[in-house]
Amino acid sequence: MGLGDLLFKEKEDKYLKQIEDLQNYLKIKDDEISYLTAQLEEVTKEKDARISSKQLEIFEKNFKHNIEVAKKYRSILDSYNLDTEKKSYKYRVDLKHFYSEKKFEEVIKFLNENNKFFVDELNEEIFDNMSKEVKNANKAKQRLIDFKNGQMEWSITTLINKGEELSKLYSKSRKLMTIFSDLYLEYLDDIVNFDFMALKSQGFDISEIEEFIAKRDNYYKERRR
């Protein structure tokens, strides 16, 4: 991993932590609002004489304050096209990416012939039963062990969390890739809420748009966990 990758990773981790903090804080506020709503309904229903008008005024003030704070943080998350509900998708890693080097060609061939196409389908026993004639089987096994222990290349970490690069899936449409680039969309996870139908105004016909959508949805269906 080069210096640029390290700096990028550090910066991205920082932003992801800030986003997570915002989401957690919003969740706390939503829970507080739910609790206060229930309490307010109970007080209103029973009209408990033990609660003074001043106490009720403070209660309502806190209630309104929490709503305003929640709106503020929700608007911040929405401005970045982030879900206010915490949803984290992890993507399956294709073996062709995990063992991308030429030295693993025989390993890939053996695994594919045994209907193994993703890393999560592998275990150490598979390599123990692999023919000794398959080159670099031990290195492939060690890479899997390292992966399970959380040691992997940054590109694999990105693939797990963000999915494939859009340029790989939509390489045949330079016009679409230009639009994605202008919108700073780089990975499959970036286009979850992308409005493909808006592409009609850019000269795309409906058959092209439906094909774009199908490619995205099929990728999600096969690789989201």
Side-chain angles (χ1 to χ4, degrees):
M1 186 185 296
L3 178 60
D5 290 332
L6 287 171
L7 292 174
F8 176 80
K9 182 179 184 301
E10 181 179 348
K11 189 173 184 180
E12 183 178 54
D13 287 345
K14 177 183 176 182
Y15 288 143
L16 289 175
K17 181 63 169 62
Q18 291 175 341
I19 291 169
E20 184 177 5
D21 288 344
L22 281 173
Q23 291 172 322
N24 288 333
Y25 189 76
L26 179 59
K27 178 65 168 58
I28 291 171
K29 287 300 173 185
D30 282 340
D31 289 343
E32 288 180 2
I33 290 170
S34 296
Y35 172 76
L36 290 171
T37 300
Q39 290 292 98
L40 184 59
E41 290 176 352
E42 190 68 23
V43 169
T44 303
K45 181 174 65 177
E46 296 184 0
K47 296 181 180 179
D48 196 330
R50 293 172 297 177
I51 300 177
S52 67
S53 59
K54 183 64 176 177
Q55 287 175 311
L56 186 58
E57 180 183 342
I58 294 173
F59 185 92
E60 291 177 339
K61 184 177 180 180
N62 289 335
F63 180 69
K64 291 178 180 178
H65 172 72
N66 277 285
I67 290 178
E68 290 303 314
V69 171
K71 284 182 179 178
K72 174 185 175 182
Y73 282 93
R74 185 173 282 107
S75 67
I76 292 173
L77 291 170
D78 288 344
S79 70
Y80 288 97
N81 292 321
L82 298 167
D83 289 333
T84 53
E85 297 293 332
K86 291 190 69 177
K87 296 177 181 177
S88 178
Y89 292 104
K90 300 293 183 181
Y91 294 87
R92 304 177 78 189
V93 178
D94 295 73
L95 293 180
K96 64 181 180 181
H97 295 313
F98 192 67
Y99 295 119
S100 59
E101 300 96 317
K102 187 176 179 62
K103 65 183 179 182
F104 290 122
E105 283 184 349
E106 291 186 17
V107 172
I108 292 286
K109 181 180 178 182
F110 176 89
L111 293 172
N112 288 168
E113 288 175 349
N114 285 273
N115 296 315
K116 306 298 182 185
F117 301 96
F118 299 98
V119 177
D120 58 282
E121 296 174 333
L122 303 183
N123 56 52
E124 296 172 36
E125 185 178 350
I126 292 174
F127 294 96
D128 293 336
N129 296 328
M130 193 174 288
S131 171
K132 293 182 179 180
E133 295 179 358
V134 177
K135 296 179 181 179
N136 296 306
N138 288 334
K139 290 183 179 179
K141 177 183 177 180
Q142 186 58 51
R143 179 170 295 187
L144 177 66
I145 293 172
D146 291 341
F147 174 79
K148 290 184 175 181
N149 290 327
Q151 300 174 29
M152 67 197 81
E153 294 181 357
W154 178 241
S155 60
I156 298 299
T157 302
T158 302
L159 187 60
I160 291 172
N161 289 287
K162 299 287 288 181
E164 186 71 87
E165 292 181 6
L166 293 171
S167 58
K168 301 289 180 60
L169 199 67
Y170 296 106
S171 59
K172 294 182 179 180
S173 179
R174 295 181 63 183
K175 184 177 178 181
L176 178 62
M177 284 308 306
T178 298
I179 293 173
F180 284 154
S181 178
D182 290 343
L183 295 172
Y184 302 101
L185 303 175
E186 188 175 356
Y187 299 96
L188 261 295
D189 203 59
D190 296 334
I191 60 169
V192 174
N193 298 313
F194 183 76
D195 183 8
F196 279 96
M197 288 303 171
L199 294 174
K200 288 190 289 185
S201 64
Q202 301 296 320
F204 291 92
D205 61 47
I206 192 65
S207 62
E208 289 179 297
I209 293 173
E210 289 177 346
E211 182 181 349
F212 295 153
I213 294 173
K215 282 187 175 182
R216 179 196 64 181
D217 292 349
N218 286 336
Y219 183 90
Y220 290 162
K221 183 178 179 180
E222 292 176 359
R223 290 171 173 79
R224 271 185 169 178
R225 294 192 291 176

mmCIF file of all heavy atoms in Angstrom, residues 29 52 64-66 69 86 119 142 167 170 174 183 191 201 212:
data_model
loop_
_atom_site.group_PDB
_atom_site.id
_atom_site.type_symbol
_atom_site.label_atom_id
_atom_site.label_comp_id
_atom_site.label_asym_id
_atom_site.label_seq_id
_atom_site.Cartn_x
_atom_site.Cartn_y
_atom_site.Cartn_z
ATOM 1 N N LYS A 29 -31.458 10.381 19.731
ATOM 2 C CA LYS A 29 -32.498 11.408 19.750
ATOM 3 C C LYS A 29 -33.849 10.834 19.350
ATOM 4 O O LYS A 29 -34.883 11.192 19.915
ATOM 5 C CB LYS A 29 -32.115 12.568 18.821
ATOM 6 C CG LYS A 29 -31.005 13.443 19.382
ATOM 7 C CD LYS A 29 -31.427 14.058 20.708
ATOM 8 C CE LYS A 29 -30.302 14.792 21.391
ATOM 9 N NZ LYS A 29 -30.696 15.291 22.736
ATOM 10 N N SER A 52 -47.509 19.773 37.572
ATOM 11 C CA SER A 52 -47.890 21.182 37.490
ATOM 12 C C SER A 52 -47.793 21.674 36.054
ATOM 13 O O SER A 52 -47.164 21.045 35.200
ATOM 14 C CB SER A 52 -46.975 22.020 38.382
ATOM 15 O OG SER A 52 -45.647 22.004 37.869
ATOM 16 N N LYS A 64 -39.886 19.357 22.179
ATOM 17 C CA LYS A 64 -39.709 20.115 20.937
ATOM 18 C C LYS A 64 -38.224 20.271 20.595
ATOM 19 O O LYS A 64 -37.840 20.223 19.428
ATOM 20 C CB LYS A 64 -40.367 21.487 21.065
ATOM 21 C CG LYS A 64 -41.891 21.431 21.120
ATOM 22 C CD LYS A 64 -42.494 22.822 21.299
ATOM 23 C CE LYS A 64 -44.015 22.751 21.361
ATOM 24 N NZ LYS A 64 -44.620 24.094 21.583
ATOM 25 N N HIS A 65 -37.402 20.452 21.636
ATOM 26 C CA HIS A 65 -35.955 20.603 21.406
ATOM 27 C C HIS A 65 -35.371 19.342 20.777
ATOM 28 O O HIS A 65 -34.580 19.413 19.826
ATOM 29 C CB HIS A 65 -35.248 20.895 22.736
ATOM 30 C CG HIS A 65 -33.742 20.885 22.620
ATOM 31 N ND1 HIS A 65 -33.042 21.881 21.979
ATOM 32 C CD2 HIS A 65 -32.812 19.978 23.049
ATOM 33 C CE1 HIS A 65 -31.754 21.609 22.019
ATOM 34 N NE2 HIS A 65 -31.588 20.460 22.666
ATOM 35 N N ASN A 66 -35.758 18.184 21.291
ATOM 36 C CA ASN A 66 -35.255 16.925 20.748
ATOM 37 C C ASN A 66 -35.687 16.721 19.304
ATOM 38 O O ASN A 66 -34.927 16.203 18.483
ATOM 39 C CB ASN A 66 -35.729 15.748 21.609
ATOM 40 C CG ASN A 66 -34.845 15.524 22.822
ATOM 41 O OD1 ASN A 66 -33.747 15.007 22.710
ATOM 42 N ND2 ASN A 66 -35.316 15.942 23.981
ATOM 43 N N VAL A 69 -33.458 18.988 17.139
ATOM 44 C CA VAL A 69 -32.099 18.443 17.028
ATOM 45 C C VAL A 69 -32.081 17.259 16.069
ATOM 46 O O VAL A 69 -31.187 17.129 15.225
ATOM 47 C CB VAL A 69 -31.565 18.014 18.415
ATOM 48 C CG1 VAL A 69 -30.250 17.246 18.267
ATOM 49 C CG2 VAL A 69 -31.352 19.232 19.301
ATOM 50 N N LYS A 86 -29.432 2.996 10.050
ATOM 51 C CA LYS A 86 -28.114 2.393 9.890
ATOM 52 C C LYS A 86 -28.229 1.090 9.103
ATOM 53 O O LYS A 86 -28.692 0.086 9.607
ATOM 54 C CB LYS A 86 -27.468 2.136 11.247
ATOM 55 C CG LYS A 86 -27.083 3.396 11.984
ATOM 56 C CD LYS A 86 -26.231 3.086 13.189
ATOM 57 C CE LYS A 86 -24.884 2.582 12.763
ATOM 58 N NZ LYS A 86 -23.984 2.336 13.908
ATOM 59 N N VAL A 119 -15.002 -15.694 -2.067
ATOM 60 C CA VAL A 119 -14.134 -15.981 -0.926
ATOM 61 C C VAL A 119 -14.905 -16.608 0.233
ATOM 62 O O VAL A 119 -14.393 -17.501 0.916
ATOM 63 C CB VAL A 119 -13.429 -14.691 -0.447
ATOM 64 C CG1 VAL A 119 -12.585 -14.974 0.795
ATOM 65 C CG2 VAL A 119 -12.552 -14.121 -1.546
ATOM 66 N N GLN A 142 -2.786 -19.519 2.720
ATOM 67 C CA GLN A 142 -2.326 -18.539 3.707
ATOM 68 C C GLN A 142 -3.024 -17.198 3.517
ATOM 69 O O GLN A 142 -3.358 -16.516 4.493
ATOM 70 C CB GLN A 142 -0.811 -18.354 3.602
ATOM 71 C CG GLN A 142 -0.225 -17.453 4.685
ATOM 72 C CD GLN A 142 -0.514 -17.960 6.084
ATOM 73 O OE1 GLN A 142 -0.273 -19.134 6.392
ATOM 74 N NE2 GLN A 142 -1.047 -17.093 6.941
ATOM 75 N N SER A 167 -16.808 1.506 -13.270
ATOM 76 C CA SER A 167 -16.151 1.404 -14.577
ATOM 77 C C SER A 167 -16.035 -0.035 -15.051
ATOM 78 O O SER A 167 -15.919 -0.299 -16.251
ATOM 79 C CB SER A 167 -14.759 2.044 -14.520
ATOM 80 O OG SER A 167 -13.964 1.416 -13.527
ATOM 81 N N TYR A 170 -19.984 -0.932 -16.073
ATOM 82 C CA TYR A 170 -20.578 -0.117 -17.138
ATOM 83 C C TYR A 170 -19.523 0.371 -18.133
ATOM 84 O O TYR A 170 -19.633 1.466 -18.684
ATOM 85 C CB TYR A 170 -21.308 1.081 -16.531
ATOM 86 C CG TYR A 170 -22.492 0.705 -15.667
ATOM 87 C CD1 TYR A 170 -22.424 0.795 -14.278
ATOM 88 C CD2 TYR A 170 -23.681 0.256 -16.236
ATOM 89 C CE1 TYR A 170 -23.508 0.452 -13.483
ATOM 90 C CE2 TYR A 170 -24.770 -0.089 -15.451
ATOM 91 C CZ TYR A 170 -24.677 0.009 -14.074
ATOM 92 O OH TYR A 170 -25.758 -0.333 -13.291
ATOM 93 N N ARG A 174 -19.412 4.846 -22.247
ATOM 94 C CA ARG A 174 -18.542 5.954 -21.839
ATOM 95 C C ARG A 174 -19.371 7.170 -21.425
ATOM 96 O O ARG A 174 -18.983 7.920 -20.527
ATOM 97 C CB ARG A 174 -17.604 6.325 -22.990
ATOM 98 C CG ARG A 174 -16.606 5.221 -23.348
ATOM 99 C CD ARG A 174 -15.684 5.647 -24.465
ATOM 100 N NE ARG A 174 -14.867 6.785 -24.093
ATOM 101 C CZ ARG A 174 -14.009 7.384 -24.914
ATOM 102 N NH1 ARG A 174 -13.875 6.944 -26.163
ATOM 103 N NH2 ARG A 174 -13.302 8.413 -24.509
ATOM 104 N N LEU A 183 -20.655 13.241 -11.153
ATOM 105 C CA LEU A 183 -21.393 13.200 -9.885
ATOM 106 C C LEU A 183 -20.567 12.572 -8.758
ATOM 107 O O LEU A 183 -21.077 12.348 -7.663
ATOM 108 C CB LEU A 183 -22.687 12.398 -10.069
ATOM 109 C CG LEU A 183 -23.723 13.007 -11.022
ATOM 110 C CD1 LEU A 183 -24.869 12.033 -11.260
ATOM 111 C CD2 LEU A 183 -24.251 14.325 -10.470
ATOM 112 N N ILE A 191 -24.516 4.033 -6.105
ATOM 113 C CA ILE A 191 -25.672 4.274 -6.975
ATOM 114 C C ILE A 191 -26.930 3.554 -6.484
ATOM 115 O O ILE A 191 -27.846 3.303 -7.265
ATOM 116 C CB ILE A 191 -25.377 3.873 -8.437
ATOM 117 C CG1 ILE A 191 -25.020 2.382 -8.548
ATOM 118 C CG2 ILE A 191 -24.262 4.730 -9.013
ATOM 119 C CD1 ILE A 191 -24.971 1.884 -9.987
ATOM 120 N N SER A 201 -33.379 12.383 -20.052
ATOM 121 C CA SER A 201 -33.119 13.767 -20.454
ATOM 122 C C SER A 201 -31.715 13.940 -21.022
ATOM 123 O O SER A 201 -31.397 14.981 -21.606
ATOM 124 C CB SER A 201 -33.301 14.706 -19.251
ATOM 125 O OG SER A 201 -32.349 14.421 -18.239
ATOM 126 N N PHE A 212 -29.160 -0.826 -17.677
ATOM 127 C CA PHE A 212 -28.314 -0.286 -16.603
ATOM 128 C C PHE A 212 -28.847 -0.708 -15.232
ATOM 129 O O PHE A 212 -28.089 -1.124 -14.354
ATOM 130 C CB PHE A 212 -28.268 1.244 -16.675
ATOM 131 C CG PHE A 212 -27.618 1.796 -17.915
ATOM 132 C CD1 PHE A 212 -27.978 3.056 -18.401
ATOM 133 C CD2 PHE A 212 -26.648 1.080 -18.594
ATOM 134 C CE1 PHE A 212 -27.380 3.581 -19.530
ATOM 135 C CE2 PHE A 212 -26.038 1.596 -19.741
ATOM 136 C CZ PHE A 212 -26.415 2.848 -20.206
#
